[in-house]
Amino acid sequence: MPRPITATLHLDAFANNQQVVRRFAPSTKIWSVVKANAYGHGLKNVWRSLAEHTDGFALLDLAEAVLLRERGWRGPILLLEGFFQPAEIALLDRYRLTTAVNSDWQLQAIAEARLQAPLDVYLKLNSGMNRLGFAPDRLHNVWLTARELANIGSITLMSHFATADSDEGVEQQMATIERAAAALDLPRCLANSAATLWHPSTHGSWVRPGIILYGASPTGDWRDIADIGLQPAMTLSSEIIGIQQLQAGDRVGYGGRYAADGPQRIGVVACGYADGYPRHAPTGTPVWIEGALTRTLGSVSMDMMMVDLTPCPQATVGSKVELWGRNLPVDNVAAAAGTLGYELLTALAARVPIIAGE
Ligand SMILES: *Cc1c(COP(=O)(O)O)cnc(C)c1O
């Protein structure tokens, strides 16, 4: 018997979540962001479901782009960080990939390449995140250069928001974008999930939602998306593989970090940090067992964790345990562990089998 841990995909969630995106951004094309192996869901497992309602796929690994082409996706593919070596341009040309351009050397390399056809590019503006992109006062000249290059086809303006998910919003960065791009009549692609949901002024020609396609919150707080109809695309589940009966003072797990106040029945679950479950999750992190919400106890081990069975006395060896998914938002587990759903989903370990469910 294999270990009982599995990640079950709810492939119907993708069409549902893309419909939510369309509701919020009705006249905009959608890049479905599938970087990091489709946020841990497995690009090869999910791309077909996403393909039915997307206009394109955005990612950053060339290997993932090639996988999509080899599996038959003929629509647009955007490389969110562009290319990392001039030698990669031959593959961009061969596989017809749209590329972000965030540096002079990239523009130079495109100018010098020998191509079958011009490349479509996304000129990346640094509007305040100070990660990648051209400075606002350079954008106009970069655009003047780019549009003269025979190797460049269409040009779209791209930027990325640092605080679209918080009270600060996008106002300041939008002002920078408006100033830098005032004289440029370029289609725009600016919005991540948070901007797609909450800042319509950013929508432009294309939006780039990632995390909401997988049914998790861009803010890290599930309550922020609870009412808009998103569905989780993954349930991580396992089983109870052992039971212990504690007495007052008995301690649990490495470091003995949890001690029982009185008699307490606990379960041992086949899931640990080597499966991608956060080791930092403290006692009290939520877990769903047989229709009841319960909590972890003590430290998470590499391959196991312990849970309180007080709210579910009927649970026994073989009982199903949901670590996150349809009954327990990944955001709630992440919040307890001091991180985001993004990190938990993308950290799912390769040893966890991913299966298609209903
Ligand atoms: C990851 C990423 C996105 C998607 O972000 P979400 O918060 O998951 O919606 C959009 N644009 C860029 C450039 C990204 O790197």
Side-chain angles (χ1 to χ4, degrees), residues 6-298:
T6 45
T8 304
L9 298 181
H10 312 300
L11 294 172
D12 291 349
F14 292 117
N16 175 79
N17 297 345
Q18 285 167 321
Q19 293 313 322
V20 172
V21 170
R22 297 242 182 247
R23 215 171 72 225
F24 279 83
S27 49
T28 308
K29 290 189 181 175
I30 300 177
W31 289 113
S32 292
V33 179
V34 292
K35 63 187 177 185
N37 201 22
Y39 286 53
H41 294 62
L43 182 57
K44 62 181 178 1
N45 305 318
V46 304
W47 79 269
R48 242 174 234 288
S49 303
L50 284 164
E52 285 172 35
H53 299 281
T54 199
D55 298 295
F57 286 104
L59 41 74
L60 47 86
D61 248 322
L62 204 44
E64 291 180 336
V66 171
L67 180 144
L68 285 177
R69 284 288 184 249
E70 287 180 344
R71 303 251 165 165
W73 171 251
R74 293 166 166 278
I77 298 177
L78 171 63
L79 294 173
L80 289 164
E81 291 180 12
F83 50 95
F84 301 91
Q85 310 283 339
E88 293 166 26
I89 295 177
L91 291 171
L92 272 53
D93 186 35
R94 173 161 159 207
Y95 291 103
R96 294 287 93 212
L97 308 179
T98 301
T99 182
V101 169
N102 51 59
S103 312
D104 292 304
W105 74 263
Q106 289 175 322
L107 213 50
Q108 186 70 27
I110 292 173
E112 291 166 3
R114 293 189 54 197
L115 304 177
Q116 304 169 53
L119 291 175
D120 293 333
V121 302
Y122 272 46
L123 277 191
K124 177 98 184 251
L125 167 67
N126 170 18
S127 57
M129 177 116 169
N130 286 310
R131 203 169 60 174
L132 290 177
F134 295 100
D137 60 2
R138 292 208 50 228
L139 183 71
H140 195 96
N141 281 335
V142 171
W143 170 71
L144 288 175
T145 306
R147 71 174 186 163
E148 295 304 322
L149 297 180
N151 275 348
I152 287 187
S154 72
I155 301 177
T156 300
L157 176 66
M158 176 184 187
S159 199
H160 195 59
F161 295 113
T163 53
D165 57 332
S166 74
D167 290 343
E168 201 180 324
V170 298
E171 215 172 298
Q172 216 169 4
Q173 282 188 263
M174 278 305 280
T176 302
I177 292 165
E178 297 300 351
R179 242 180 291 121
L184 281 54
D185 185 22
L186 288 179
R188 293 180 181 184
C189 175
L190 309 174
N192 56 6
S193 290
T196 300
L197 294 181
W198 298 309
H199 302 289
S201 69
T202 67
H203 287 172
S205 303
W206 288 78
V207 290
R208 303 190 304 269
I211 194 74
I212 54 176
L213 298 179
Y214 305 93
S217 173
T219 63
D221 188 337
W222 179 76
R223 290 168 298 185
D224 294 330
I225 58 160
D227 299 329
I228 62 176
L230 294 171
Q231 295 170 2
M234 177 200 293
T235 294
L236 180 65
S237 59
S238 188
E239 289 178 7
I240 293 178
I241 58 169
I243 301 278
Q244 298 291 345
Q245 179 63 52
L246 306 183
Q247 304 303 330
D250 284 350
R251 303 196 303 166
V252 172
Y254 286 115
R257 291 218 175 84
Y258 175 78
D261 287 337
Q264 186 177 15
R265 193 163 165 269
I266 71 168
V268 182
V269 179
C271 174
Y273 62 79
D275 298 302
Y277 195 89
R279 200 184 72 86
H280 296 109
T283 289
T285 301
V287 180
W288 179 267
I289 301 177
E290 304 224 314
L293 198 58
T294 182
R295 58 187 184 127
T296 63
L297 300 174

